[in-house]
Amino acid sequence: MSVSTAASARAICAPLPVLGRDVTVPLVTGGEVTYAALDYAASAPALQRVWDDVAAYAPYYGSVHRGAGYLSQLSTDLFENARRTVAEFLDCRADDQLIFTRSTTDSLNLLAAALPAGCQVFVFETEHHASLLPWQDAEVTYLDAPRTPRQAVETLERALAARTASADGGNAPALVCVTGASNVTGELWPVRELAAAAHAHGARIVLDAAQLAPHHPVSVQDLDVDWIAFSGHKLYAPFGSGVLAGRADWLIAADPYLAGGGASRKVSRRADGGVDVEWHESAARHEAGSPNVIGAYSIASACKALTEAGFDTLVARERYLIEKVREGLAGVPEVRILSLFGDDAPRVGVLSFVVDGWNSSHFAAALSAEYGIGVRDGLFCAHPLVRTLLGSDPGTQGECGAPEAAPGEKSLNAIRVSFGAGTPDEHVERFVTAVRELVTDGAQWNYRTVDGRCVPAV
């Protein structure tokens, strides 16, 4: 990247203000440094705009859909307006339902509970556990990791063409679940092409956009997906809320995900002593109980903030940061970046790597303790994918985020650096410098393993 290109990239978009940008942390070697949060793929810091919006609303908080008082009415309007804002952000179809959940994991488990009888599910082994595991009660076909986007489409087409016929001789209902961007490699998946393949074979498709939505615009209609799921905590919105948006028919036909108040339209006693229930057919059917209005509002606020900032400028700046990291790591021969689709594959700001001669937990601990840099190490809740990328035995045991090997021992784990709209240049520059110094000079401190984690020795 030339100097002029780098300068123009910086001028395109300054980092969006996020909470914690001025927090300092102690170093084991002495002194303090501003914390470099480079673990966005796990939880992105909250946008300052989101925090300010929530703080302004907080004194007016009231029960949603429950009260006649002014604050209840205000909160209900805010909650339903948040639903409309997020639906617009996702470019949902007019008849789609948008359900507020706890997270991507919750959203996909909700959809799994709504699958029609006999539904067959197709999912690549490369998925995050949130989209790999919810389908245990269905007939699941796990697809091998593809090595190119084209191979992903071809693999899916073959699997769908060979799927089991239903009892009446026709095709059984089928669902494809696929990520938009890998939480391990950051690589973008060919969602539009996979959706076309699914629909050509009479299947539906749900998009796990947990890693895609914070980095790129996501249009349900343009991608032609049937459902989309994502989490607020990865979209710069705290308070534990998520979204499932898409076609209403399977959701209306299914029993409520949770039975309780809010999901029911009418409840009456029968003569035999039982209870008859008439459930809502709106999104409320799967939103029983008092909803997380602040979580929903924070997602809507984040959607507005990202839209107003402009994804074109956000994407351009992120590409600049990605290249800055990739070029820096390329100058360290001991570093190997993990990839399914190859070095030139487009990606979001997520990269995983291993360092020759280092246990990844040890390396991540040194980045934190000696440089004030927060990254992630382990298998990233995507065990089959990381094992494939590392060429390890599929039967090897690993624990998500808590590798058990002692420092210096060969173990099944990697290091992930991730960043986004709130990341300043200095954080990625410090990271690249730290990697180079640790590889060249070694750690300045001694480390030991405590409860499966590598920590500085005291």
Side-chain angles (χ1 to χ4, degrees):
M1 180 179 292
S2 67
V3 174
S4 60
T5 302
S8 62
R10 285 194 298 271
I12 286 172
C13 177
L16 297 184
V18 294
L19 291 181
R21 60 189 179 275
D22 298 322
V23 168
T24 60
V25 294
L27 303 179
V28 293
T29 51
E32 294 185 339
V33 67
T34 303
Y35 183 65
L38 296 179
D39 194 16
Y40 276 47
S43 283
L47 288 173
Q48 185 68 53
R49 153 77 176 274
V50 172
W51 194 260
D52 290 345
D53 283 350
V54 169
Y57 159 67
Y60 300 94
Y61 171 79
S63 60
V64 178
H65 300 151
R66 300 292 193 273
Y70 178 79
L71 296 191
S72 290
Q73 295 177 42
L74 184 83
S75 294
T76 297
D77 286 346
L78 182 140
F79 183 68
E80 294 303 332
N81 284 333
R83 195 190 308 276
R84 286 186 283 272
T85 296
V86 179
E88 182 179 344
F89 178 78
L90 296 175
D91 190 27
C92 289
R93 296 165 290 255
D95 55 352
D96 281 344
Q97 282 192 356
L98 190 143
I99 300 168
F100 284 115
T101 65
R102 294 182 300 166
S103 59
T104 307
T105 303
D106 195 35
S107 295
L108 293 172
N109 276 272
L110 189 164
L111 184 60
L115 296 180
C119 187
Q120 300 169 29
V121 178
F122 297 82
V123 57
F124 286 94
E125 68 172 355
T126 48
E127 293 292 312
H128 185 281
H129 294 171
S131 46
L132 185 73
L133 301 181
W135 323 106
Q136 300 298 307
D137 292 335
E139 179 185 337
V140 189
T141 298
Y142 295 104
L143 307 174
D144 292 340
R147 287 299 185 169
T148 66
R150 181 66 243 169
Q151 188 180 69
V153 177
E154 292 170 349
T155 298
L156 178 61
E157 287 175 332
R158 284 194 301 271
L160 290 173
R163 81 181 197 266
T164 308
S166 62
D168 60 7
N171 280 331
L175 177 70
V176 176
C177 180
V178 68
T179 188
S182 170
N183 79 302
V184 176
T185 68
E187 292 165 313
L188 298 176
W189 277 63
V191 177
R192 189 179 293 103
E193 292 80 0
L194 290 167
H199 295 151
H201 289 275
R204 298 190 180 190
I205 186 168
V206 57
L207 170 64
D208 174 354
Q211 300 296 339
L212 183 63
H215 302 275
H216 283 260
V218 177
S219 167
V220 169
Q221 297 191 66
D222 182 51
L223 294 173
D224 197 23
V225 294
D226 298 281
W227 291 278
I228 184 169
F230 72 90
S231 296
H233 72 101
K234 299 186 191 297
L235 195 79
Y236 312 101
F239 306 111
S241 195
V243 168
L244 176 68
R247 302 197 181 279
D249 53 350
W250 287 8
L251 299 173
I252 292 174
D255 290 337
Y257 185 47
L258 296 174
S264 56
R265 177 185 287 139
K266 180 181 178 182
V267 180
S268 58
R269 289 291 301 274
R270 297 194 306 266
D272 64 5
V275 174
D276 285 325
V277 184
E278 181 181 334
W279 303 107
H280 282 294
E281 294 191 351
S282 65
R285 184 183 189 90
H286 297 290
E287 292 179 342
S290 295
N292 181 0
V293 58
I294 288 182
Y297 181 47
S298 70
I299 290 180
S301 174
C303 289
K304 288 181 180 178
L306 293 174
T307 299
E308 291 169 5
F311 270 107
D312 286 347
T313 56
L314 293 175
V315 169
R317 187 170 193 283
E318 185 171 294
R319 285 174 178 163
Y320 158 70
L321 293 178
I322 291 170
E323 286 309 304
K324 201 176 187 68
V325 171
R326 284 172 53 82
E327 290 176 3
L329 295 183
V332 185
E334 293 83 356
V335 170
R336 175 167 68 94
I337 296 176
L338 306 182
S339 174
L340 270 177
F341 300 152
D343 292 342
D344 295 330
R347 69 180 71 217
V348 299
V350 179
L351 297 95
S352 294
F353 62 97
V354 291
V355 183
D356 289 347
W358 283 81
N359 168 266
S360 294
S361 181
H362 185 194
F363 200 89
L367 286 173
S368 174
E370 300 178 26
Y371 294 90
I373 298 170
V375 297
R376 177 121 338 196
D377 65 282
L379 299 178
F380 318 123
C381 292
H383 295 188
L385 171 56
V386 178
R387 288 176 180 140
T388 294
L389 294 172
L390 294 179
S392 61
D393 179 359
T396 302
Q397 295 299 309
E399 185 177 346
C400 182
E404 296 178 351
E409 294 181 356
K410 179 178 175 61
S411 65
L412 182 67
N413 59 344
I415 307 154
R416 183 182 68 192
V417 56
S418 54
F419 41 88
T423 304
D425 290 18
E426 190 274 330
H427 288 186
V428 298
E429 290 165 356
R430 192 194 319 169
F431 166 76
V432 170
T433 298
V435 170
R436 186 181 302 114
E437 290 181 356
L438 285 172
V439 171
T440 302
D441 304 326
Q444 300 179 57
W445 204 260
N446 293 322
Y447 296 82
R448 61 193 181 97
T449 300
V450 176
D451 295 329
R453 298 297 308 168
C454 189
V455 298
V458 294

